[in-house]
Amino acid sequence: MNTNESAQLEQLLTNYACALDVLDKYDHQLLEITHTTAHHLFVITYDAAMSAIDGLKARFGGSSLFGNEKDESFQSSLAAICQTFGGQDLYPSVEEKAAHLLYFVIKNHSFSDGNKRIAAFLFVWFLDKNSILYRQDGSKRIADNALVAFTLMIAESKPEEKEMMVKVIVNLINNHH
């Protein structure tokens, strides 16, 4: 390699170091949840979520079945992210709550139509309401293509992969990235 090619390679590695680090830790089953946001400004409620879904339905619904609950599993998904054990949050950070919200809404398939769109929307809405969706400079913390990839990755994952899926998402949206 000549000097110019070497410099380009080094720049490329620098630009994608975080992503490559997450992939390396994933491969070696070493992903941990770190650099997360402890403060919670917004606790998602069923009524607030349904109101947000109604707004989503008006813009992206498409069918009369969009957002129609099939059972009470959506309420269960919301309750699950706020669970405590021994007085401690089971999912203590905003990022962990958001990643679990995305996972539960997709996997519980609570709605007749729109589960992935609803889950993705609630995920970013929850992060926004907790003031961490955008960086300090106003740029998106999660690009559109990343949101699609997260959503489809979870939809295609196996139930036994849940914890790893959550760790991947948290590592890609935490304060380190």
Side-chain angles (χ1 to χ4, degrees):
M1 249 190 270
N2 65 36
T3 305
N4 187 40
E5 290 172 332
S6 181
Q8 287 175 334
L9 178 61
E10 183 60 34
Q11 185 62 49
L12 189 61
L13 289 171
T14 299
N15 289 345
Y16 288 94
C18 290
L20 296 170
D21 184 51
V22 169
L23 289 169
D24 182 61
K25 287 178 181 174
Y26 172 86
D27 284 346
H28 294 97
Q29 300 293 297
L30 297 173
L31 277 177
E32 296 178 359
I33 293 178
T34 61
H35 303 354
T36 57
T37 307
H39 66 84
H40 304 244
L41 306 172
F42 174 73
V43 176
I44 193 167
T45 65
Y46 174 77
D47 290 337
M50 289 307 294
S51 179
I53 291 168
D54 286 343
L56 179 66
K57 183 177 186 170
R59 181 134 184 221
F60 295 105
S63 81
S64 61
L65 298 175
F66 183 90
N68 292 339
E69 292 178 86
K70 295 191 303 187
D71 52 29
E72 294 182 4
S73 62
F74 180 60
Q75 291 180 48
S76 175
S77 295
L78 296 177
I81 69 166
C82 296
Q83 276 183 345
T84 61
F85 182 76
Q88 300 292 320
D89 282 343
L90 208 52
Y91 311 119
S93 71
V94 172
E95 293 87 349
E96 288 170 275
K97 284 177 172 46
H100 280 91
L101 176 64
L102 181 64
Y103 186 92
F104 291 144
V105 173
I106 291 169
K107 289 301 199 180
N108 285 345
H109 214 267
S110 304
F111 302 95
S112 300
D113 181 43
N115 289 281
K116 288 185 288 298
R117 285 171 284 167
I118 290 167
F121 174 73
L122 291 176
F123 173 70
V124 294
W125 179 65
F126 182 78
L127 291 171
D128 185 46
K129 295 294 265 181
N130 278 290
S131 301
I132 65 168
L133 181 59
Y134 299 97
R135 293 185 185 94
Q136 287 188 339
D137 67 2
S139 65
K140 291 180 184 177
R141 183 178 283 198
I142 303 165
D144 289 10
N145 56 354
L147 180 59
V148 171
F150 292 165
T151 303
L152 295 176
M153 176 183 73
I154 288 174
E156 296 298 322
S157 70
K158 297 175 184 149
E160 60 269 17
E161 297 170 328
K162 174 188 169 278
E163 290 308 313
M164 187 55 72
M165 295 298 103
V166 167
K167 285 180 182 178
V168 167
I169 292 169
V170 169
N171 273 270
L172 294 173
I173 66 171
N174 66 14
N175 292 321
H176 189 64
H177 295 98

